[in-house]
């Protein structure tokens, strides 16, 4: 069994152990879930270490036929686009489980759902066959529906139903696009991503455009792209905070990852739709930032900021150039770390105060100095301050966008100014002014919480100071993708 299979099936083995554990043994359940998530994270770290950054192709490949008639394969592999997402998924799953020690109701089912969600997420990023990709894409729906609907807030049932209906609706468009490409496959051509990329080249240009629109809707729901983002704010607000970490940190990246694969497969269609993509990106960035600015609910603020930051990823993809694509991978990684840290810290604050209203807080720096330090660094990263990972991600978006559209990038600058405005407002409201009487006795971060927040914030600063480690991981693969696009659209 290859290393990718071991990594993929590690959460599934954890689920098997949890299923055999009596539900009364809560500490044992937590230990098993954390153990298998940690093992998966360590395997992903080892993958990063042994990955050859100079090889642009797939590495650690393994493949065998699943269905000879359909031509589907159990095909796994990683490249410079998928490996950062694999490592991020494993890291944030471990962080989410560390933040789940307050879950006391239905503990066994909760931890099974978290590991099942990790299994689905890893499957999406490791799959090199579109049929397998689609199966894992759908696998993520059930655990998220249960996690939001069972352990969420007051409006959890509406939020979980909205999430599933939106995502399943998008999946239908993705499936139709895949079926359209399959019509151009040779007999017994299979559904491998490499084979379908070749088949897509033989499609008439107008059909390619319609197929890419289907992919844009299917993946855009998950990213989320305006105006198909309606499920996101409510799902984020109502989901348990550990689930919000995974939802914002990884689930949104699945959409961006799939869209990049689709754009590389259909570059001529992407060039035709380029004006639409850049409009949706710039509008979404400003729109998401403005809505985040006017929120007084901290979770809603982070949710709408995700719409703005994922708009930057869409802008990077729309550039269709090397700088933009590298920026997309950087922004996906940066947003995963920043949004994960922000939802973690907001969730820990809510557990202590039972309010997310920013107007209820003041001068927390006096009673929660460790929390104040981590939250301030995370908010600085969200506004793209130099020295944090968010800066280099947005810099690549600026450079890639300016190469393509020039002074249109003033809208990206406007969205960053808006981000700075709500970040500075949040810092001011949380950490300045007199201490309110009800906030005097709040406990600062405990050891497990300190560990979880410390890992994320340290990663934000570390990759902000040494971004070349992230860039080098992806450059060879992204350069190859950029060359393919350049050759096809000339």
């Amino acid at each position: 069994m290859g290393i990718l299979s071991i990594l993929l099936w590690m959460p599934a083995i954890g689920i098997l152990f949890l299923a055999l554990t009596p539900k009364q043994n809560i500490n044992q359940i937590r230990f098993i879930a954390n153990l298998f998530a940690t093992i998966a994270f360590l395997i992903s770290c080892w993958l990063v270490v042994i990955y050859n950054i100079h090889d642009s192709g797939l590495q650690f490949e393994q493949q065998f036929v699943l269905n000879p008639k359909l031509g589907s394969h159990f095909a796994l592999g990683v490249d410079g686009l998928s490996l950062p997402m694999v490592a991020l998924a494993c890291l944030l799953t471990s962080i989410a489980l560390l933040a789940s020690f307050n879950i006391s109701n239905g503990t066994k089912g909760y931890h099974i759902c978290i590991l099942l969600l990790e299994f689905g997420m890893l499957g999406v990023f490791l799959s090199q066959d579109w049929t397998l990709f689609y199966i894992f894409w759908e696998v993520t729906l059930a655990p998220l529906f249960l996690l939001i609907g069972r352990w969420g807030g007051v409006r959890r049932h509406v939020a979980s139903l909205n999430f599933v209906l939106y995502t399943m609706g998008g999946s239908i468009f993705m499936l139709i696009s895949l079926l359209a490409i399959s019509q151009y496959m040779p007999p017994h051509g299979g559904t491998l991503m490499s084979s379908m990329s070749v088949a897509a080249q033989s499609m008439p240009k107008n059909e390619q455009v319609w197929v890419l629109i289907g992919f844009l809707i299917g993946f855009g729901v998950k990213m989320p792209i305006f105006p198909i983002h309606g499920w996101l704010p409510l799902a984020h607000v109502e989901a348990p905070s550990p689930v919000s970490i995974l939802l914002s940190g990884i689930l949104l990246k699945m959409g961006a990852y799939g869209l990049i694969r689709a754009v590389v497969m259909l570059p001529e269609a992407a060039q035709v739709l380029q004006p639409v993509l850049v409009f949706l990106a710039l509008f979404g960035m400003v729109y998401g930032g403005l809505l985040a600015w006017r929120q007084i609910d901290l979770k809603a603020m982070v949710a709408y900021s995700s719409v703005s930051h994922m708009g930057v990823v869409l802008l990077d993809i729309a550039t269709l150039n090397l700088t933009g694509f590298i920026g997309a991978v950087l922004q996906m990684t940066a947003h995963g770390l920043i949004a994960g840290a922000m939802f973690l810290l907001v969730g820990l604050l809510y557990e202590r105060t039972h309010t997310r209203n920013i107007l209820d807080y003041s001068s927390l720096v006096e009673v929660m100095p460790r929390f104040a330090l981590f939250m301030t660094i995370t908010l600085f990263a969200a506004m793209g301050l130099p020295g944090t990972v968010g800066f280099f991600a947005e810099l690549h978006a600026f450079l890639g966008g300016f190469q393509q559209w020039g002074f249109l990038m003033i809208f990206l600058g406007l969205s960053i100014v808006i981000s700075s405005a709500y970040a500075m407002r949040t810092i001011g409201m949380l950490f300045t002014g007199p201490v309110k009487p009800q906030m005097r006795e709040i406990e600062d971060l405990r050891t497990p919480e300190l560990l979880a927040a410390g890992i994320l914030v340290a990663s934000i600063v570390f990759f902000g100071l040494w971004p070349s480690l992230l860039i080098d991981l992806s450059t060879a693969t992204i350069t190859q993708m950029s060359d393919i696009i350049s050759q096809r659209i000339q």
Side-chain angles (χ1 to χ4, degrees), residues 94 110-111 435:
S94 292
Y110 175 87
H111 285 83
V435 181

mmCIF file of all heavy atoms in Angstrom, residues 94 110-111 435:
data_model
loop_
_atom_site.group_PDB
_atom_site.id
_atom_site.type_symbol
_atom_site.label_atom_id
_atom_site.label_comp_id
_atom_site.label_asym_id
_atom_site.label_seq_id
_atom_site.Cartn_x
_atom_site.Cartn_y
_atom_site.Cartn_z
ATOM 1 N N SER A 94 -6.673 18.427 12.841
ATOM 2 C CA SER A 94 -6.087 18.262 14.176
ATOM 3 C C SER A 94 -6.424 19.445 15.074
ATOM 4 O O SER A 94 -6.763 19.275 16.252
ATOM 5 C CB SER A 94 -4.562 18.110 14.067
ATOM 6 O OG SER A 94 -4.219 16.899 13.439
ATOM 7 N N TYR A 110 -20.043 12.918 16.928
ATOM 8 C CA TYR A 110 -19.341 14.144 16.500
ATOM 9 C C TYR A 110 -17.956 13.812 15.964
ATOM 10 O O TYR A 110 -17.578 14.256 14.873
ATOM 11 C CB TYR A 110 -19.242 15.101 17.695
ATOM 12 C CG TYR A 110 -18.438 16.348 17.433
ATOM 13 C CD1 TYR A 110 -19.031 17.482 16.883
ATOM 14 C CD2 TYR A 110 -17.075 16.403 17.739
ATOM 15 C CE1 TYR A 110 -18.290 18.626 16.640
ATOM 16 C CE2 TYR A 110 -16.325 17.540 17.497
ATOM 17 C CZ TYR A 110 -16.941 18.648 16.952
ATOM 18 O OH TYR A 110 -16.206 19.779 16.717
ATOM 19 N N HIS A 111 -17.180 13.021 16.711
ATOM 20 C CA HIS A 111 -15.816 12.713 16.286
ATOM 21 C C HIS A 111 -15.785 11.813 15.050
ATOM 22 O O HIS A 111 -14.884 11.938 14.201
ATOM 23 C CB HIS A 111 -15.037 12.077 17.447
ATOM 24 C CG HIS A 111 -14.632 13.063 18.495
ATOM 25 N ND1 HIS A 111 -15.487 13.471 19.500
ATOM 26 C CD2 HIS A 111 -13.483 13.744 18.690
ATOM 27 C CE1 HIS A 111 -14.865 14.355 20.274
ATOM 28 N NE2 HIS A 111 -13.648 14.541 19.805
ATOM 29 N N VAL A 435 -12.608 48.162 31.165
ATOM 30 C CA VAL A 435 -13.061 46.773 31.280
ATOM 31 C C VAL A 435 -14.506 46.764 31.777
ATOM 32 O O VAL A 435 -14.819 47.363 32.804
ATOM 33 C CB VAL A 435 -12.176 45.981 32.264
ATOM 34 C CG1 VAL A 435 -12.647 44.538 32.360
ATOM 35 C CG2 VAL A 435 -10.721 46.025 31.825
#
